[in-house]
Amino acid sequence: NTKITAVASDFDFLGASMAAAEGEAFLFGIQHAIENKTPFLCISAGGGMRMMESLISLSQMTRTTIAINELKNNNLPYLVCITDPTAGGITASYAMLGDIHIAEPGALIAFAGARVIQGTVKEELPEGFQKSEYVEKTGFVDLIVERKYLSKKIGTLLSILLKKNSAISTEENETTENTQSLSK
């Protein structure tokens, strides 16, 4: 069993928009992960930053990014599980900074809305262009995993990232033994 620190967004509360309180919770989670040397898992959802908090809300994009960099400076894995919908400033910051991005099937992953983009580029957008399957094809998502399989998949990924996988451990031990016999 691998201990992790996790945060999750609740879309039922103001569309899981991000503001000062959510930013503090995210930073507290990162701090906890660093102090306890655990990987950090973010389960993202939401429409973005909470506009009624203006710059206080927007500053959470920077704050979470700096915190994630600190986590990475401590060589701790940062995994993101993208749920439906993940959009706006959430996509433009912490949801796309993971070491590994896992998305649920059919999840909307976007920065701006499809109509805004279509109006800007003035051309037809591909079918399902903001769904996880398309976003995986373009390289922004690594895996698409159904919710019921997430626990097992995350466990497997973390065992590899933390080098707890038996195949990796065995290989490392053999290398160490070979190096020791060569030095004798």
Side-chain angles (χ1 to χ4, degrees):
N1 278 350
T2 303
K3 288 187 177 191
I4 67 167
T5 303
V7 295
S9 302
D10 180 6
F11 196 82
D12 289 340
F13 181 74
L14 296 173
S17 56
M18 182 92 162
E22 293 78 10
E24 281 302 310
F26 193 98
L27 268 59
F28 182 83
I30 296 267
Q31 185 178 354
H32 182 273
I34 291 169
E35 287 171 2
N36 293 282
K37 297 177 179 22
T38 63
F40 191 73
L41 169 67
C42 171
I43 301 168
S44 72
M49 300 298 120
R50 193 170 306 151
M51 289 296 95
M52 58 281 236
E53 284 198 31
S54 65
L55 288 176
I56 294 168
S57 175
L58 288 175
S59 71
Q60 304 316 308
M61 293 171 68
T62 311
R63 295 177 78 213
T64 55
T65 300
I66 290 167
I68 292 162
N69 286 342
E70 199 54 41
L71 183 77
K72 291 180 179 188
N73 288 341
N74 281 273
N75 296 317
L76 294 168
Y78 175 49
L79 273 61
V80 181
C81 177
I82 303 166
T83 67
D84 182 50
T86 295
I90 293 170
T91 306
S93 61
Y94 64 88
M96 283 295 152
L97 295 174
D99 297 312
I100 296 178
H101 297 107
I102 304 164
E104 291 190 312
L108 174 82
I109 305 168
F111 175 61
R115 283 191 317 235
V116 171
I117 295 169
Q118 196 157 336
T120 304
V121 298
K122 307 224 182 313
E123 53 187 67
E124 204 61 34
L125 299 173
E127 184 69 31
F129 130 92
Q130 293 178 318
K131 295 294 183 181
S132 54
E133 291 77 9
Y134 184 88
V135 179
E136 180 188 34
K137 277 188 220 165
T138 57
F140 289 99
V141 165
D142 299 303
L143 297 164
I144 296 176
V145 180
E146 284 184 55
R147 192 168 287 196
K148 62 184 173 184
Y149 302 120
L150 277 173
S151 178
K152 185 172 178 14
K153 181 59 78 178
I154 289 169
T156 301
L157 291 169
L158 287 176
S159 72
I160 293 166
L161 289 171
L162 298 170
K163 297 183 171 87
K164 291 183 176 181
N165 183 299
S166 59
I168 293 169
S169 299
T170 305
E171 195 176 290
E172 281 180 357
N173 290 342
E174 288 171 7
T175 306
T176 306
E177 288 166 13
N178 291 342
T179 307
Q180 287 171 347
S181 63
L182 285 174
S183 60
K184 289 178 186 174

